[in-house]
Amino acid sequence: MTSRAQETVLIVDADILIRQPLAEYLRECGYKVVEAADVAEAKRLLIDASIAIHIVLADVDPPGPDNGFALASWIRTNYPDVEVVLAGTIEKATRSAGELCDEGTALKKPYEHQVVLARIKQSLAARERDRGKS
Amino acid sequence: MSLPEADKEARSQLCVLVIEDEYSIRSAIADELRAAGLQVVEATNANEAMDYLNSTGRVDLVFTDVNMPGAIDGLELARWTKARRPDVPIFITSGTHSASAAAGLGRFLPKPYSFDAVVLLILQTLTPSS
């Protein structure tokens, strides 16, 4: 058991095809995971006293008036104990998830983060193919 | 709530897609379903759900709210899902619509609902021995 026991990760990403595999991976690594599709929802989750969030893994550029940098700045000001990881690419997001997984409460990694990256890329490519057909 | 332990292995292979824009409801029911041993995918609106359903066939039950931001609501999502995946049971919940709105689409659960009751209904639907 590591110091990450019982920690909650908030994933902020507007794309379910990216957010969901990352969330599933981190849950299997032993974290409680909550999900937000934009910065406004992320802030509501952080403000909610019933959910103690320890780590935020956020896309740099989610939709809405605030971007990931603004969210990170807001968190630093209001919740300085919360660790923020900003990811500008899927590669960075999955690598960061892999690093978190190394510190998670699961006895071993369920799979490597490259597997998550490959799944995400496959889903995104399939969606692009579907959109190309319509 | 005491849930039957039978079919635990089978339950862990089952996936429920929850579509709800209100995070506190979405995460609470998702947590309850996970605690019951099911896999859960959380979508914040109907468009996300369609993206997920288009990208993977991995879903055994859809549980959707009706009123959500975005181009289509939960009823339209239910119609879309039923046309493409008639094998997938659909549960529809709303605090503003009545059961007649869900007629022919799926099972209607009025809001506010009991988390325990919803989990039990979903388990009974997915694993009839529960």
Side-chain angles (χ1 to χ4, degrees):
Chain A
M1 192 70 73
T2 76
S3 61
R4 292 291 194 186
Q6 306 299 315
E7 289 202 333
T8 298
V9 180
L10 166 60
I11 297 181
V12 188
D13 198 302
D15 195 331
I16 191 173
L17 301 187
I18 299 170
R19 191 180 71 236
Q20 191 272 331
L22 288 172
E24 182 176 289
Y25 179 57
L26 288 173
R27 285 189 186 102
E28 292 192 36
C29 295
Y31 291 95
K32 176 174 171 54
V33 179
V34 289
E35 304 174 39
D38 55 37
V39 168
E41 190 176 38
K43 285 182 176 178
R44 286 199 295 274
L45 279 158
L46 284 153
I47 290 167
D48 187 337
S50 70
I51 307 169
I53 291 167
H54 304 89
I55 305 158
V56 177
L57 176 57
D59 178 24
V60 168
D61 196 22
D66 287 340
N67 62 27
F69 293 113
L71 175 64
S73 174
W74 182 85
I75 292 171
R76 269 197 303 276
T77 302
N78 296 285
Y79 302 94
D81 293 336
V82 174
E83 181 182 339
V84 182
V85 181
L86 285 178
T89 63
I90 311 165
E91 287 79 3
K92 172 69 165 54
T94 52
R95 194 166 59 246
S96 298
E99 288 165 6
L100 285 173
C101 197
D102 284 333
E103 304 167 7
T105 59
L107 293 177
K108 61 175 185 175
K109 277 188 177 184
Y111 38 84
E112 291 297 323
H113 71 271
Q114 289 89 344
V115 174
V116 184
L117 179 62
R119 282 184 192 164
I120 291 172
K121 285 185 169 178
Q122 282 171 2
S123 297
L124 294 177
R127 179 169 65 189
E128 286 309 306
R129 282 197 299 274
D130 283 348
R131 286 178 176 170
K133 287 179 197 165
S134 56
Chain B
M1 177 176 52
S2 174
L3 291 168
E5 289 302 310
D7 300 327
K8 198 171 180 181
E9 178 61 30
R11 213 184 293 162
S12 70
Q13 303 301 315
L14 296 168
C15 180
V16 178
L17 174 58
V18 174
I19 307 105
E20 167 68 59
D21 61 314
E22 174 50 50
Y23 80 88
S24 57
I25 301 173
R26 185 180 71 239
S27 62
I29 188 64
D31 281 351
E32 295 287 342
L33 290 166
R34 288 190 188 101
L38 297 164
Q39 294 184 32
V40 183
V41 174
E42 300 177 38
T44 62
N45 57 48
N47 287 331
E48 279 200 343
M50 291 162 74
D51 259 355
Y52 177 77
L53 290 165
N54 268 333
S55 74
T56 172
R58 191 167 156 260
V59 67
D60 298 286
L61 188 144
V62 169
F63 180 38
T64 184
D65 185 25
V66 173
N67 294 323
M68 293 178 286
I72 67 170
D73 66 10
L75 294 173
E76 197 57 38
L77 172 67
R79 280 186 203 97
W80 184 91
T81 304
K82 193 175 173 65
R84 286 157 182 79
R85 296 289 303 272
D87 57 312
V88 174
I90 300 171
F91 283 17
I92 297 166
T93 185
S94 175
T96 57
H97 290 67
S98 62
S100 60
L105 296 174
R107 181 166 191 154
F108 183 76
L109 302 168
K111 277 185 177 175
Y113 51 74
S114 149
F115 291 152
D116 283 358
V118 169
V119 170
L120 200 54
L121 273 174
I122 287 176
L123 285 176
Q124 286 169 345
T125 302
L126 292 176
T127 56
S129 59
S130 295

